[in-house]
Amino acid sequence: MSSTELPNLLAATAAPKPGAVAVAEGERLGSVGLPGLTLTVRSRPPVRPGLPPALFVHGLGGSSQNWSALMPLVEDVVDCEAIDLPGFGDSPPPDDGNYSITGHARAVIRYLDARNRGPVHLVGNSLGGAITTRVAAVRPDLVRTLTLVSPALPELRVQRTAVPTGLLAVPGVAGLFTRLTRDWTAEQRVRGVMGLCYGDPAKVTPEGFSAAVREMERRLQLPYFWDAMARSARGVVDAYTLGGQHGLWRQAERVLAPTLLVYGARDLLVSYRMARKAAAAFRDSRLLTLTEVGHVAMMEDPQSVATAFRELLLDAGESSGTGGARGVRFPEAEAGPRDARTGSGS
């Protein structure tokens, strides 16, 4: 099955009574109601009082579950929370139907303001990377450090394998895919998604695959899932075409927080070519490249991401050093940003 069939594999079919969201051992789910917006929050109880807060933001089609492998590896240095963006995971759609990058960023800001939780160590993947970049640029008071895993920042020459995802933004395409793929099983859809997102899908355990299938079956029962996917994809495309002071690259240049950039050399959605451009755009950045990893490094190689995250906190003076970073160092590179290149699992 071709990885370019992602839109087909994610096509939703209406069905009643979606199942419960999975919760890993040590996690808890909560719900925060804001005017016109309800967000589900996945968290782990702090290991000890006084840890600085961290907030994790998933990508297109993902959920807070995407961070379940990483959070236990950093829970001794940060107080972990991961949100389900509006219309994803267990969060219902926003009342205003705004799935733009700005709309999602506003939801993150409103959550942090309402909970009086900032400044936080802000972490985002893919779409979440674009969202958190905008948050860090417009509300620097809310961000201690910024970690971006394969952030969806504008590319002049998009990879061929990423084109079908962009087609989700075209009006009418979502409905067409739904009709054409209504007989596809959850297993088929999950295999296609993993083929697109993972550097080596064969490394996914049978238990992990089964859990992903159950989650896909749950999502396909949500009447709004496909609409949330299509509108959020449209938001990414719109952000790619936006220039001037509101363009994402301009906003990246305005980010003051120390920034960790994580890219996978096997990423089929966000081109590895953008790693150096991103490292040059963010003024205080360090770059970690994982040679055997694809689009979701925090799921494929959480240990390397956790180690680099700990190093970021130590460099920024934000960590007590408990269980401190080991194994990944960031020597000064000629172009300015610190850089480390490592293989998956190193």
Side-chain angles (χ1 to χ4, degrees), residues 99-124:
Y99 289 101
S100 67
I101 299 292
T102 297
H104 284 310
R106 187 178 298 121
V108 172
I109 290 170
R110 290 179 60 195
Y111 172 72
L112 292 174
D113 279 341
R115 294 289 296 270
N116 194 28
R117 192 164 167 82
V120 299
H121 296 290
L122 194 57
V123 184

Side-chain angles (χ1 to χ4, degrees), residues 70-219:
L70 178 63
M71 289 197 295
L73 302 180
V74 298
E75 64 180 353
D76 60 328
V77 291
V78 291
D79 180 359
C80 298
E81 286 188 347
I83 63 168
D84 288 331
L85 291 169
F88 293 94
D90 207 34
S91 292
D95 286 358
D96 62 4
N98 187 346
Y99 289 101
S100 67
I101 299 292
T102 297
H104 284 310
R106 187 178 298 121
V108 172
I109 290 170
R110 290 179 60 195
Y111 172 72
L112 292 174
D113 279 341
R115 294 289 296 270
N116 194 28
R117 192 164 167 82
V120 299
H121 296 290
L122 194 57
V123 184
N125 167 237
S126 192
L127 167 66
I131 293 166
T132 53
T133 294
R134 182 151 292 173
V135 172
V138 302
R139 287 293 304 273
D141 58 303
L142 293 178
V143 182
R144 295 171 183 250
T145 65
L146 180 65
T147 297
L148 304 175
V149 181
S150 296
L153 299 174
E155 301 181 37
L156 291 178
R157 184 161 59 90
V158 179
Q159 295 187 103
R160 178 184 59 82
T161 47
V163 170
T165 304
L167 290 177
L168 294 176
V170 178
V173 168
L176 174 62
F177 286 146
T178 300
R179 293 192 297 273
L180 292 176
T181 65
R182 63 186 58 187
D183 295 329
W184 291 51
T185 67
E187 289 84 355
Q188 288 175 308
R189 298 170 193 270
V190 168
R191 287 193 186 95
V193 171
M194 287 184 171
L196 187 63
C197 292
Y198 281 73
D200 183 3
K203 292 183 178 179
V204 178
T205 65
E207 295 79 12
F209 181 80
S210 296
V213 170
R214 290 193 296 271
E215 174 61 13
M216 179 63 72
E217 290 172 340
R218 188 193 71 83
R219 293 181 184 190

Side-chain angles (χ1 to χ4, degrees), residues 8-29:
N8 295 16
L9 305 174
L10 292 178
T13 56
K17 299 181 180 178
V21 174
V23 182
E25 183 178 356
E27 292 181 347
R28 56 192 178 191
L29 285 183

Side-chain angles (χ1 to χ4, degrees), residues 226-263:
W226 190 241
D227 183 61
M229 281 287 296
R231 289 175 181 264
S232 293
R234 193 171 305 149
V236 173
V237 172
D238 289 345
Y240 272 35
T241 61
L242 187 65
Q245 294 299 318
H246 299 290
L248 282 170
W249 284 115
R250 279 289 181 86
Q251 292 190 321
E253 294 170 354
R254 290 164 49 191
V255 171
L256 301 177
T259 301
L260 168 64
L261 300 163
V262 181
Y263 281 82

